[in-house]
């Protein structure tokens, strides 16, 4: 270890403890602290190696001795100060999302976990360096010295990555896929198969109850009934129509989309006033908060169609087979849209798209906006759009300069508008809505929406003032560390309902109303519906 490496490791460790978007328990904070320290150590080590390679001047011996003695003490002081402030910094984040403070032992747990993680990574780094030296020494027997070093490092990197990717990552993906697939086949005893032939999964359906999978059965069986909706709309309630096709139903995206279209026609989905093409998350889950509120707002006069493309969680699905969701979203929308076009213009439903998280990404990635200008759909609602979503990226990067990054205004607001909690942002437009209405529902504290790789080297735009109401003013940008903090936050973004990536029912209501422009709607009716969903509790 060198004094400089230890110092930079301590600095990045202490910076990793500062406030971020999401509250972290001691385990997650310790993991982040250990990784941040290891990254700092690596950066300093490589910079020193580069300086030696370039024959840059070094400190005189007497100054170098003082530096080598004083620097570890400074590093220890920085790390101790960070741990001393760790609880206060964590409580700042927790206060922003309405959580109670951490316990006093929080900082000590962080210290132990971070130290363990750092030592593991430090050992692995030395194993890699040792392998590089040995392979380079062997290569020098047949290659010039500098080429031999590059060759040795390349072979060592290839071997390490082969072990990580082949022996660990792919094995983990296969195990996860098999586990999730097996779970899909389980029939939950508390969910009953519908007997109404107008419902998907019933004895008269084109899709068997088994083929729906767990997420599909939950979506079909647990939606609001006509009787529940009638309590909100006494004179106009209908039974909502939900069509879902599980991945087991057919072997290709095209075949599953064809089944979904046929089932949608069978149950009368094109006879409703509104039709929604919904793209689920990686597991096939559709957020009840988004769909239940939609059906209440429209008095049940709506049909929703969705097709499952994976069993894995969204993050794993994107890593294991990123094209599955895109292919399925494209084939489903195209099948529904082409049939919709074949109907008389005055006798077809309004057509919308919807997706949460990976569902929002897949929907945006495959929606042929330019091809639809002649026969446009009516709009869509995308919640929690991941940072790499194409349309969200266009809106965020092309926003009007006087609008914040976390709630951008795009153009005159006639096509896209962005809302956060309680509908703020939906009225911020210089022009009325056009023929298509698209709303992004994003929480300012959602790291999956806010993340950017550029935050490693420059302050991200969402940290400018004024900040989102659920983001603390005390967040500070640090090179490298802020990117690591937000990256870790993406893995724990579902821990606090109403913040981060955990979107709740009441926040969908104003967004859906802006997209749908439903008849007989008002702020008073919206407030009444929010009370209903607050009493119903968190979405299942």
């Amino acid at each position: 270890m060198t004094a400089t490496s230890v110092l930079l490791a301590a600095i990045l460790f202490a910076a990793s403890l500062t406030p971020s978007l999401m509250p972290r328990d001691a385990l997650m904070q310790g993991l982040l602290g250990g990784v941040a320290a290891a990254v700092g150590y690596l950066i300093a080590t490589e910079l020193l190696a580069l300086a030696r390679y370039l024959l840059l001047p070094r400190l005189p011996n007497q100054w170098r001795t003082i530096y080598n003695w004083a620097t570890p003490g400074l590093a220890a002081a920085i790390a101790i100060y960070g741990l001393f402030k760790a609880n206060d910094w964590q409580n700042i984040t927790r206060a922003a999302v309405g959580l109670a403070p951490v316990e006093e032992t929080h900082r000590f747990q962080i210290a132990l976990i971070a130290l363990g993680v750092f030592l593991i990574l430090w050992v692995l780094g030395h194993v890699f360096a040792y392998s590089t030296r040995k392979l380079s020494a062997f290569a020098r027997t047949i290659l010039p010295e500098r080429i031999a070093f590059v060759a040795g490092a390349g072979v060592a990197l290839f071997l390490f990555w082969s072990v990580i990717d082949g022996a660990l990552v792919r094995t983990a993906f296969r195990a996860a896929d098999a586990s999730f697939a097996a779970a899909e086949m389980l029939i939950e005893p508390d969910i009953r198969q519908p007997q109404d032939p107008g419902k998907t999964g019933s004895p008269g359906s084109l899709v068997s109850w088994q083929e729906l999978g767990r997420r599909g059965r939950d979506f079909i069986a647990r939606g609001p009934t006509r009787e529940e909706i009638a309590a909100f709309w006494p004179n106009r309630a209908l039974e909502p129509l939900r069509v879902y096709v599980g991945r087991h139903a057919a072997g290709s995206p095209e075949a599953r989309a064809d089944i979904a279209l046929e089932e949608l026609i069978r149950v009368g989905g094109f006879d409703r006033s509104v039709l929604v093409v919904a793209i689920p998350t990686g597991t096939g889950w559709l957020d009840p908060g988004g769909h239940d509120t939609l059906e209440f707002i429209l008095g049940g006069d709506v049909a929703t169609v969705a097709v499952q493309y994976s069993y894995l969680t969204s993050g794993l699905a994107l890593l294991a087979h990123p094209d599955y969701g895109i292919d399925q979203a494209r084939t489903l929308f195209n099948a529904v849209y082409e049939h919709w076009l074949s109907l008389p213009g005055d006798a077809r439903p309004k057509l919308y798209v919807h997706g949460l998280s990976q569902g929002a990404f897949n929907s945006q990635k495959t929606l042929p906006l330019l091809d639809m200008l002649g026969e446009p759909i009516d709009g869509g609602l995308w919640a929690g759009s991941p940072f790499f979503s194409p349309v969200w990226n266009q809106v965020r990067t092309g926003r009007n300069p006087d609008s914040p990054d976390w709630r951008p205004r795009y153009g005159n607001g006639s096509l896209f508008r962005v809302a956060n909690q309680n509908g703020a942002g939906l009225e911020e437009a210089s022009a009325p809505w056009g023929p298509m209405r698209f709303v992004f529902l994003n929480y300012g504290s959602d790291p999956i929406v806010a993340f950017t790789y550029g935050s490693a080297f420059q302050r991200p735009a969402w940290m400018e003032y004024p900040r989102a109401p659920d983001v603390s003013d005390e967040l500070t940008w640090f090179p490298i560390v802020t990117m690591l903090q937000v990256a870790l936050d993406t893995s724990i973004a579902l821990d606090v309902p109403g913040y981060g990536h955990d979107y709740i029912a009441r926040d969908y209501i104003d967004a859906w109303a802006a997209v749908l422009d439903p008849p007989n709607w008002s702020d008073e009716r919206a407030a009444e519906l929010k009370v209903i969903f607050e009493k119903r509790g968190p979405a299942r």
Side-chain angles (χ1 to χ4, degrees):
M1 290 188 179
T2 66
T4 302
S5 299
V6 172
L7 178 61
L8 190 56
I11 292 173
L12 265 62
F13 167 70
S16 73
L17 303 177
T18 58
S20 186
L21 287 175
M22 296 301 299
R24 296 187 287 268
D25 59 22
L27 174 61
M28 299 304 290
Q29 184 62 72
L31 289 172
L32 174 62
V35 170
V39 170
Y41 185 91
L42 175 64
I43 291 174
T45 300
E46 293 305 315
L47 288 177
L48 290 172
L50 178 62
R52 289 193 297 270
Y53 180 78
L54 296 175
L55 301 178
L56 297 179
R58 305 174 66 185
L59 286 173
N61 289 337
Q62 65 182 73
W63 287 107
R64 191 161 64 248
T65 300
I66 295 173
Y67 177 81
N68 289 337
W69 277 100
T71 302
L74 177 61
I78 292 172
I80 292 171
Y81 175 78
L83 288 170
F84 175 76
K85 295 287 292 182
N87 288 10
D88 293 338
W89 286 335
Q90 182 58 214
N91 289 335
I92 288 171
T93 302
R94 295 176 72 84
V97 298
L99 293 182
V102 297
E103 296 180 357
E104 184 62 28
T105 57
H106 183 76
R107 59 170 62 94
F108 302 110
Q109 297 173 31
I110 291 172
L112 292 174
I113 295 168
L115 179 61
V117 171
F118 174 77
L119 290 176
I120 290 172
L121 294 176
W122 182 80
V123 169
L124 290 175
H126 277 267
V127 171
F128 176 77
Y130 176 80
S131 302
T132 299
R133 288 195 301 271
K134 289 297 182 181
L135 290 168
S136 298
F138 174 77
R140 279 198 297 271
T141 61
I142 54 176
L143 295 172
E145 181 174 353
R146 296 192 177 190
I147 297 177
F149 175 78
V150 173
V155 172
L157 184 62
F158 172 76
L159 292 175
F160 268 69
W161 178 248
S162 297
V163 172
I164 294 172
D165 184 51
L168 299 178
V169 176
R170 294 185 184 276
T171 300
F173 278 147
R174 285 194 294 269
D177 194 53
S179 176
F180 279 100
E184 282 292 302
M185 302 304 293
L186 299 175
I187 302 291
E188 300 82 351
D190 62 328
I191 300 182
R192 296 182 178 275
Q193 180 183 11
Q195 299 303 307
D196 180 353
K199 287 185 174 292
T200 298
S202 68
S205 172
L206 299 178
V207 187
S208 73
W209 187 238
Q210 182 74 30
E211 289 173 341
L212 286 177
R214 292 177 62 232
R215 300 300 187 180
R217 289 189 291 271
D218 184 81
F219 178 65
I220 295 298
R222 295 189 189 273
T225 64
R226 187 188 68 80
E227 290 73 21
E228 290 176 302
I229 296 174
F232 186 68
W233 294 111
N235 301 318
R236 48 171 279 197
L238 297 174
E239 185 78 17
L241 296 178
R242 293 185 171 191
V243 171
Y244 190 100
V245 176
R247 193 176 170 201
H248 280 300
S252 70
E254 294 77 13
R256 290 190 289 269
D258 289 342
I259 295 172
L261 176 61
E262 292 177 22
E263 178 73 359
L264 188 62
I265 295 171
R266 186 190 73 83
V267 301
F270 288 92
D271 298 326
R272 292 299 172 97
S273 297
V274 170
L275 172 59
V276 176
V277 178
I279 308 301
T281 62
T283 61
W285 183 69
L286 292 159
D287 186 0
H291 294 278
D292 293 357
T293 52
L294 164 70
E295 292 165 347
F296 265 87
I297 290 171
L298 294 173
D301 189 12
V302 55
T304 303
V305 58
V307 176
Q308 183 184 32
Y309 53 87
S310 175
Y311 311 122
L312 300 173
T313 60
S314 293
L316 292 177
L318 282 169
L319 291 171
H321 35 66
D323 295 335
Y324 283 16
I326 294 172
D327 291 343
Q328 188 63 79
R330 179 182 293 111
T331 54
L332 175 62
F333 177 81
N334 288 345
V336 173
Y337 181 65
E338 289 170 9
H339 183 82
W340 181 78
L341 287 177
S342 70
L343 302 175
D346 59 354
R348 64 193 185 196
K350 291 185 176 181
L351 181 58
Y352 299 90
V353 294
H354 174 52
L356 164 68
S357 191
Q358 189 184 357
F361 162 71
N362 289 332
S363 179
Q364 293 172 42
K365 184 73 173 177
T366 58
L367 191 67
L369 279 172
L370 295 179
D371 291 342
M372 296 189 307
L373 293 180
E375 289 281 0
I377 65 172
D378 294 273
L381 171 57
W382 292 310
S385 301
F387 66 95
F388 46 80
S389 302
V391 185
W392 166 242
N393 259 327
Q394 179 181 349
V395 169
R396 181 161 68 165
T397 58
R399 71 185 187 278
N400 297 339
D402 61 340
S403 63
D405 179 81
W406 48 271
R407 199 179 67 214
R409 293 192 304 277
Y410 185 80
N412 61 11
S414 61
L415 179 61
F416 298 115
R417 297 184 189 178
V418 181
N420 63 350
Q421 292 94 324
N422 304 318
L426 292 173
E427 303 303 324
E428 297 178 354
S430 59
W433 282 108
M436 290 193 290
R437 300 180 175 208
F438 290 97
V439 169
F440 294 90
L441 174 60
N442 298 327
Y443 294 158
S445 57
D446 188 345
I448 293 175
V449 174
F451 180 85
T452 62
Y453 291 105
S455 62
F457 308 106
Q458 63 181 3
R459 179 188 175 103
W462 56 264
M463 293 186 73
E464 301 296 335
Y465 297 96
R467 292 179 176 174
D470 48 340
V471 176
S472 171
D473 285 344
E474 299 190 48
L475 266 68
T476 303
W477 175 73
F478 296 96
I480 306 296
V481 172
T482 295
M483 186 194 72
L484 293 176
Q485 285 181 315
V486 179
L488 179 65
D489 286 344
T490 63
S491 68
I492 54 176
L494 292 171
D495 289 351
V496 187
Y499 299 93
H501 203 57
D502 196 344
Y503 292 82
I504 59 175
R506 63 161 289 135
D507 294 333
Y508 281 101
I509 293 172
D510 291 331
W512 269 127
V515 171
L516 300 166
D517 190 24
N520 303 315
W521 194 251
S522 65
D523 291 341
E524 291 73 22
R525 292 300 277 161
E528 292 173 19
L529 189 57
K530 289 174 184 177
V531 171
I532 289 174
F533 275 92
E534 286 172 354
K535 292 180 179 178
R536 285 164 67 99
R540 293 172 294 273

